[in-house]
Amino acid sequence: MKKILMVLTSVSEIGDTGEKTGYNVGEAAHPWKVFKDSGHFVDFASIKGGQPPHDGVDVEDPIQVAFTEDETTRAGLYNTARVDVIDPEQYDAVFLVGGHGTMWDFPDSEGLQKLVASIYNSGGVVGAVCHGPAGLVNVELANGIHLVNGRNVAAFTNDEEVAAGKDKVIPFFLADRLEEQGATHVFADVFEEKVVVDERLVTGQNPASAAGVAKEMEKLLAEVIHQEKAEEQHEADALRAEKDAKKAAAAAEEH
């Protein structure tokens, strides 16, 4: 079992439009199900802590309904920890949930930047979907280079912002900002699924890509688990061989 931290926005309004927003429930629920079904432990955090706002539940989606009704999840979302106080060493992966609110509080959160960088620097997996990659903006690794520099990434596209009618209210186009920091933005048609894996960074274009990002993250975590088990087996075999050698030596001395 691995520990995965899901990070949510604390912004409840799109700019000064008065339109309500928050984290996208589908983009949280579908990855949550993938992680839980794989036996991993899931925690929640947000930029400001407390109960994060969401943009509404699709009651026709049984996974979203299950997510909102799960007692452990409800407890975790009731009073999330602030990203600033999270100990990154406790987590093997971090998943940045989308929702338009992230465009206002993810990019300038030093706590989130440090958290993402720490998990990646220590060999962990970083995932983000839709507007979640706004949390990759300004993240610098231990070598001083932006996390997205030289990497292929997916994120909500400019055309999708136009189609959603948000191109005039968002503070910046996410795809453009990522490219400004050295990323190559890889995308599919508007609202089509697109998941991109670049080493231990997994990104998705839109809500349709949320489960796919989690599944690719799960593959990377499974590789880590397999490697850890192989190392444990190697150590156990070496210890057994050492004990057998001692027994053989003792038997030889008796004779």
Side-chain angles (χ1 to χ4, degrees), residues 43 45 121-122 154:
D43 267 347
N121 284 330
S122 63

Side-chain angles (χ1 to χ4, degrees), residues 12 14 24 37 42 64 92 99 110 138 157 175 191-192 199 238:
S12 60
I14 296 179
N24 183 289
D37 288 351
V42 178
Q64 289 191 40
D92 305 285
E110 292 184 4
N138 300 323
T157 69
F191 301 125
E192 292 294 318
E199 294 183 354

Side-chain angles (χ1 to χ4, degrees), residues 165-179:
K166 301 295 188 293
D167 55 304
K168 298 296 192 297
V169 296
I170 53 173
F172 57 88
F173 282 108
L174 179 54
D176 292 351
R177 183 62 59 84
L178 291 167
E179 289 193 325

Side-chain angles (χ1 to χ4, degrees), residues 5-10 21-28 31 45 47 55 83 94-109 112-113 115-117 126-139 147-148 153-157 160-161 170 172-175 177-178 181 185 194 201-210 213 217:
L5 182 69
M6 299 184 75
V7 180
L8 314 167
T9 181
S10 294
T21 188
Y23 72 87
N24 183 289
V25 177
E27 293 173 19
I47 302 302
D55 62 3
V83 289
V94 59
F95 182 91
L96 308 181
V97 179
H100 266 99
T102 63
M103 295 288 283
W104 280 268
D105 65 353
F106 271 21
D108 297 320
S109 170
L112 180 58
Q113 292 163 23
L115 176 68
V116 171
V126 173
V129 69
C130 199
H131 290 92
L136 304 178
V137 172
N138 300 323
V139 173
L147 171 61
V148 299
V153 299
F156 207 62
T157 69
E160 286 173 325
E161 292 289 9
I170 53 173
F172 57 88
F173 282 108
L174 179 54
R177 183 62 59 84
L178 291 167
Q181 294 196 350
H185 182 232
K194 184 65 179 179
L201 177 63
V202 187
T203 48
Q205 179 172 321
N206 45 37
S209 313
V213 171
M217 291 177 68

